[in-house]
Amino acid sequence: MLRPDQIVSRRKACPVVYIPIGTLEWHGLHNAVGADSLQAEGIAIRCAQKGGGLVFPPLYYGESRLECLMEASAQDRHLIAEKMELPPDNFLPERMPFSATEQVFQYEKLLLHILAEAESLGFRVGVLVAGHYPLIDHARSAALLFNKRQYSRSVGMLAWAFVDHLLVADQYEVAGDHAGGWETSHMMALHPDTVKLDVLPPRGELLIGAGGKMDPRDSSAEFGNEIIDAAVDIAVKETLHRLENRRMYHGHGRSLGEGLWREKETLS
């Protein structure tokens, strides 16, 4: 956390705030349960280091529990529960106090509230960084609703949202997974002390609640740093373009537009 004078100094230098969002969710035997939020936070920090701005503390709670892998299938739910020494019924949708629709509305309201708090601190661009992939839809919805307010369109903060693997999907065939080589490489680059590859079964045996195009046993910190930096490069360009060309993102359906910065690069 920063003192008020430090916040003012950083905000004057670059009035951008990154807000990492994630969840507490199983990420294989080999990764931390909070891997999504840790990844979002790490990517947000690198964005601020590269392009300026500040990073809010990560949000771990409040997402729709129906979208977590622990509820994805009966087989995963039972195997994961067994490894965590918990009853499988702990992860049934009906254990939540609110319906799926209510959970979505409440989470988006929470994101709207966080964006408003960021705006009240004087930031001009607020970026929701989704670590848990399903949250990108909620983040985009919240950003779009936030940008529709008359205050935001005139003098307030402009919101945007991204998830790393979508920014670089054209560069990497293996972009995006769940506790596979992509996310595990992220974690090895950002929090190597939380990754333990030697607890994974031999190749060919079942990986519980983990999968993707890249086997997690092929993960490396080197690859993690490469793909994080590739996503950060694009995210920073998107963010700073919004800061410097605010009016281009005004108007119906325009505030979440992406790739407009590429036109300037093509001309140069």
Side-chain angles (χ1 to χ4, degrees):
M1 294 295 180
L2 300 177
R3 296 189 312 273
D5 62 306
Q6 294 174 307
I7 292 176
V8 171
S9 176
R10 293 285 295 277
R11 189 191 64 216
K12 285 182 176 179
C14 183
V16 169
V17 63
Y18 294 94
I19 305 164
I21 59 176
T23 184
L24 292 175
E25 181 190 24
W26 173 273
H27 273 74
L29 288 167
H30 57 299
N31 282 315
V33 172
D36 283 338
S37 295
L38 290 172
Q39 291 174 79
E41 181 185 38
I43 291 169
I45 289 172
R46 292 204 186 182
C47 285
Q49 289 172 336
K50 182 179 179 66
L54 290 170
V55 178
F56 271 15
L59 176 65
Y60 284 84
Y61 305 110
E63 90 297 340
S64 172
R65 296 299 295 165
L66 301 180
E67 293 172 335
C68 286
L69 187 65
M70 288 186 283
E71 290 87 44
S73 69
Q75 179 187 20
D76 282 336
R77 184 166 60 247
H78 281 76
L79 292 174
I80 291 169
E82 180 183 343
K83 292 297 183 181
M84 296 188 72
E85 300 183 17
L86 292 168
D89 287 355
N90 276 23
F91 307 124
L92 291 175
E94 51 265 31
R95 292 297 293 269
M96 294 296 105
F98 304 106
S99 70
T101 300
E102 288 175 314
Q103 290 179 52
V104 169
F105 285 160
Q106 289 168 354
Y107 189 75
E108 291 183 4
K109 286 181 180 179
L110 176 59
L111 295 182
L112 281 167
H113 191 94
I114 292 172
L115 288 169
E117 287 188 341
E119 182 181 61
S120 74
L121 293 173
F123 294 101
R124 298 288 289 163
V125 177
V127 182
L128 294 166
V129 184
H132 182 56
Y133 297 166
L135 295 185
I136 185 57
D137 294 322
H138 306 313
R140 283 172 172 166
S141 177
L144 185 61
L145 290 172
F146 185 85
N147 291 339
K148 288 291 287 183
R149 301 176 314 143
Q150 184 63 40
Y151 183 75
S152 289
R153 292 202 301 272
S154 56
V155 298
M157 186 178 77
L158 183 66
W160 178 55
F162 77 88
V163 61
D164 70 282
H165 73 94
L166 293 181
L167 296 181
V168 295
D170 60 338
Q171 299 181 46
Y172 296 95
E173 184 181 351
V174 298
D177 61 28
H178 181 81
W182 185 268
E183 285 199 312
T184 303
S185 292
H186 275 180
M187 293 300 292
M188 292 180 76
L190 297 169
H191 298 280
D193 56 316
T194 69
V195 182
K196 194 172 176 60
L197 294 182
D198 60 6
V199 301
L200 290 170
R203 293 178 189 271
E205 293 188 15
L206 176 67
L207 290 172
I208 300 173
K213 293 182 179 180
M214 180 177 175
D215 194 295
R217 288 159 290 208
D218 295 326
S219 305
S220 70
E222 180 182 13
F223 183 61
N225 282 313
E226 175 187 331
I227 58 181
I228 289 171
D229 289 344
V232 164
D233 181 63
I234 295 175
V236 168
K237 288 175 179 176
E238 289 280 356
T239 301
L240 295 184
H241 192 270
R242 283 166 165 75
L243 183 63
E244 298 162 2
N245 303 274
R246 183 184 183 85
R247 294 191 63 83
M248 293 183 68
Y249 298 92
H250 288 177
H252 302 300
R254 300 185 65 177
S255 71
L256 299 187
E258 297 179 353
L260 301 183
W261 56 271
R262 297 181 188 275
E263 297 177 11
K264 184 177 179 180
E265 285 200 344
T266 302
L267 293 174
S268 62

